[in-house]
Amino acid sequence: MKILIADDSRVMRQIVVRTLRQAGHGGHEIVEAENGKQALELVTTERPDLVLSDWNMPEMTGIDCLSALRASGSDVAFGFVTSEGSDEMRQRAEAAGAAFLIAKPFTPEAFDDALRSVL
């Protein structure tokens, strides 16, 4: 399985990778993007099975990336890993086609629960 992790913080991308391993989801091929624009391009070229994206990033936000993917016909599994987890954000994410939203700080169990819904 190929997972694209989009976050403008390199450290946060590393934390997400480590948490995936701790949740029992290590061994997947990982592709990284620094923003939503790069993630959008990488979905086309790398064809990941899952996108894990931050919400707030420069150049293109995660929600704008998801909207652009859906508008282009992509049905790649997409979930948010973000510092905000308000009901409004969860509703916007779901309406845009996200499979889940994991709020920071997160646990390996939260990742496992969310990923079971898409794997």
Side-chain angles (χ1 to χ4, degrees):
M1 176 174 206
K2 188 183 289 190
I3 300 174
L4 170 60
I5 300 171
D7 197 301
D8 53 315
S9 165
R10 183 181 58 81
V11 171
M12 187 53 63
R13 292 192 307 268
Q14 292 173 337
I15 291 169
V16 170
V17 170
R18 185 183 71 221
T19 306
L20 284 168
R21 277 197 310 267
Q22 291 171 340
H25 297 282
H28 297 299
E29 182 179 349
I30 303 294
V31 179
E32 296 184 23
E34 296 179 358
N35 58 56
K37 183 179 177 191
Q38 187 180 26
L40 185 61
E41 294 166 1
L42 287 172
V43 167
T44 303
T45 59
E46 295 289 333
R47 311 211 57 59
D49 301 292
L50 171 65
V51 177
L52 296 176
S53 178
D54 189 15
W55 190 288
N56 295 307
M57 296 179 285
E59 294 197 46
M60 178 183 272
T61 65
I63 192 74
D64 289 344
C65 177
L66 174 57
S67 296
L69 285 168
R70 295 301 183 249
S72 73
S74 173
D75 63 352
V76 64
F78 196 107
F80 286 100
V81 180
T82 187
S83 57
E84 302 172 51
S86 69
D87 288 341
E88 178 188 346
M89 285 184 78
R90 290 178 186 280
Q91 290 168 358
R92 283 186 65 198
E94 185 177 336
F100 56 83
L101 186 151
I102 300 171
K104 301 172 190 172
F106 45 75
T107 64
E109 293 77 20
F111 266 73
D112 189 42
D113 290 345
L115 292 178
R116 284 184 199 209
S117 69
V118 297
L119 297 181

